[in-house]
Structures are given as C-alpha cells and as structure tokens.
Amino acid sequence: MAKLQKIDTHTHCVPPFWVEEVKKAGKGPIIAYDEEEHLKVMKRCNISKSILSISSPGTHLYPGAGNDEAAQKLARRCNEYLAKIKRRRPEKFGFFATLPLPYIQGSLEEIAYALDELNADGFCVLSNHHGIYIGNAIYEPIWAELSRRKAKVFMHPTIPCMQVGEKLINALLQDFPLRSSSSSSKKFEWYLAYSPLEQSQSIPT
C-alpha cells in the first residue's frame, strides 16, 4: 500500500534580505533557510509538497503609517522570492503570500499582485499587526476582497500585545500558540488553514 502523501502548510522560508531587515528592526532571532535541506526533510517525512510563507514578525516591522511604503516594498520582494521557488519546483512548493498589514491600501494591492501575477496559493496573516488584531473592523476591506477572490488564508500566531495607557506592550509569550484562535473574534467567509498547534482550537461563529 502506498504511503499517505502529506502537504505541509506550515513551512517558513527566510529570504536573506528579509532577515537583514528584521535584524535592523531589533526582532528575531531568525533561523536560516536552506532549500536543499528542506527537500531532504520533506523526503524523510514523506511530505509531498510544502506551502512556504513568511513568519512573524511579517513585513510591517515598525509601527506607524510612516512605514507603510517600506512595508509594502518588503512584502512585494518576499512574495516574488517565494514565487520564484514555486516556479522552480512547482511539484514540491507552493506559497502563501505575505501582506503589509495593517496598511490596508497596500495590502489590497498586494492581494491583486500575488494572485494575478505570482499565482499565490493563498495568504499568511499574523494574529495581530502592531496590536491591531485581525477581528478589528479596519480589516473589513481585506476580508471582503479575500472572500470575493475565494482566497485561502493561513493565520499565524505572533507575539500577543496589550494596550496599557498609550503604550503597546508584549503580553505573555505562553499565549503565543493560541493567538490564531483567540484572534478570530467573528465568523469569516474565507477559508482558514491552521498550523498543527491550533487545529484543536475552534473559531467562534
């Protein structure tokens, strides 16, 4: 009997230029990515295909609207990098495009570019972007467009945040694995692909 083939939807690729930007922002540490080593792991674990994505902290590395343009440029570079890997080995790799959230207009532009030009398999969003959780009403244009496109969305946890006065501070890291589920504070029309840690968590309907 043939072995069951598996598709890994929680696989992070780390472009070198993204690592440099993350380090400049004082975030990390980031583990280096090696495509050939990844293929060896896939073979050893009987994984037929991996869907690549950019991990936390995403591409909007600094809070404030003044960083929106830089975030969109970094998101575009990351998505083009992942798309090249998919084109090189389409039988082995797909990718979830990243978005420069919470920059709404830039994210809408990247949705169109990723689907129409790069053939993305879906999108990876973080559980919050600078403390703005994905159930926030400001993201409605994003969910509406993703729903219209029938796009798949992979929700990835990131460092939980909490508001204390006018300051945004990091909350307990113990809550990190549960962020994807607790961030889904409403019923969405789009599809969610969960990481293994969160498959047992439910979304309020």
Side-chain angles (χ1 to χ4, degrees), residues 9-188:
T9 61
H10 193 168
T11 306
H12 296 311
C13 179
V14 186
F17 57 84
W18 179 75
V19 173
E20 290 304 312
E21 293 300 324
V22 170
K23 287 181 178 178
K24 288 179 186 178
K27 303 176 187 293
I30 303 296
I31 300 174
Y33 175 80
D34 186 292
E35 186 176 332
E36 297 304 321
E37 288 300 316
H38 185 181
L39 289 168
K40 291 177 183 177
V41 171
M42 289 173 63
K43 183 176 181 179
R44 186 165 65 248
C45 297
N46 192 37
I47 296 171
S48 57
K49 194 168 189 175
S50 290
I51 310 300
L52 304 172
S53 61
I54 300 296
S55 186
S56 175
T59 56
H60 205 300
L61 301 176
Y62 305 91
N67 298 293
D68 286 347
E69 184 176 342
Q72 184 175 0
K73 288 181 178 178
L74 183 57
R76 176 71 61 93
R77 288 187 70 190
C78 287
N79 291 337
E80 290 177 338
Y81 186 93
L82 299 184
K84 286 181 180 179
I85 296 177
K86 177 180 178 178
R87 285 196 296 269
R88 185 163 60 245
R89 288 188 167 108
E91 75 287 355
K92 289 296 183 182
F93 295 115
F95 80 100
F96 290 143
T98 189
L99 298 174
L101 293 171
Y103 180 27
I104 303 302
Q105 183 56 42
S107 294
L108 290 171
E109 292 171 4
E110 293 313 306
I111 289 172
Y113 184 75
L115 292 176
D116 298 339
E117 304 296 332
L118 301 181
N119 193 29
D121 296 285
F123 296 87
C124 179
V125 300
L126 302 180
S127 52
N128 80 82
H129 299 267
H130 301 308
I132 305 175
Y133 282 80
I134 62 170
N136 193 294
I138 73 165
Y139 294 133
E140 286 297 337
I142 302 298
W143 311 137
E145 180 62 10
L146 292 172
S147 180
R148 186 184 73 83
R149 295 273 197 151
K150 294 181 171 57
K152 294 180 177 64
V153 175
F154 179 92
M155 195 193 315
H156 191 281
T158 190
I159 296 174
C161 297
M162 60 186 297
Q163 194 80 27
V164 178
E166 296 183 356
K167 292 184 178 181
L168 188 68
I169 65 172
N170 294 339
L172 295 175
L173 285 178
Q174 292 95 317
D175 199 30
F176 184 100
L178 305 178
R179 287 294 85 194
S180 293
S181 300
S182 57
S183 295
S184 300
S185 59
K186 58 175 287 186
K187 182 178 180 180
F188 296 118

